[in-house]
Amino acid sequence: MFEPFSLFTSALYVVQGLLGLADQRVLTGEQRSRAQPAASVHLGSSVAFVVAGIASASWVQLHGLPTVWFPTILSLGLLVSILVQGWLYRSIGVSQSPLLERAWTRLH
């Protein structure tokens, strides 16, 4: 039961990291300079989440759970990602993802 949850959470890590990288591509130079420490931390955490998600899923698939606390640790990692993302959005002065905002304006 814990292994499928850990694999699902690992997949969420990869998706969250890829969306973070896509957000970084949409940011303007002015937004990046205004949110300099937050933008750098967000970029680093996005890369780290993609790597951690792939490594976590591979480990669970090949060796099983390293500890019964592993799913809890993965869930707390998602909280960190959400907090960093919120910090970036507050720093650049937007209420939602710049990627979603751009997609929304193209649809309407």
Side-chain angles (χ1 to χ4, degrees), residues 30-47:
E30 188 267 326
Q31 286 174 325
R32 267 195 199 93
S33 65
R34 187 171 23 163
Q36 187 42 280
S40 297
V41 170
H42 184 261
L43 177 61
S45 70
S46 295
V47 170

Side-chain angles (χ1 to χ4, degrees), residues 59-72:
W59 183 272
V60 171
Q61 195 70 14
L62 295 174
H63 304 288
L65 290 176
T67 176
V68 294
W69 290 99
F70 193 68
T72 304

Side-chain angles (χ1 to χ4, degrees), residues 5 7-9 11 21 37 39-40 47 50 52 54 57 59 63 65 69 76 84 89-90 101 108:
F5 178 76
L7 291 172
F8 176 74
T9 308
L21 291 174
S40 297
V47 170
V50 170
I54 293 170
W59 183 272
H63 304 288
L65 290 176
W69 290 99
L76 290 175
V84 169
Y89 295 166
R90 280 190 309 277
E101 195 171 295
H108 292 285

Side-chain angles (χ1 to χ4, degrees), residues 19-28 31-32 34-35 39 42 84-106:
L19 287 174
L21 291 174
D23 265 349
Q24 287 288 324
R25 290 185 48 90
V26 173
L27 292 178
T28 64
Q31 286 174 325
R32 267 195 199 93
R34 187 171 23 163
H42 184 261
V84 169
Q85 193 174 29
W87 178 35
L88 173 69
Y89 295 166
R90 280 190 309 277
S91 297
I92 61 176
V94 297
S95 61
Q96 64 182 2
S97 166
L99 183 67
L100 289 176
E101 195 171 295
R102 180 177 280 187
W104 183 256
T105 57
R106 285 189 182 183

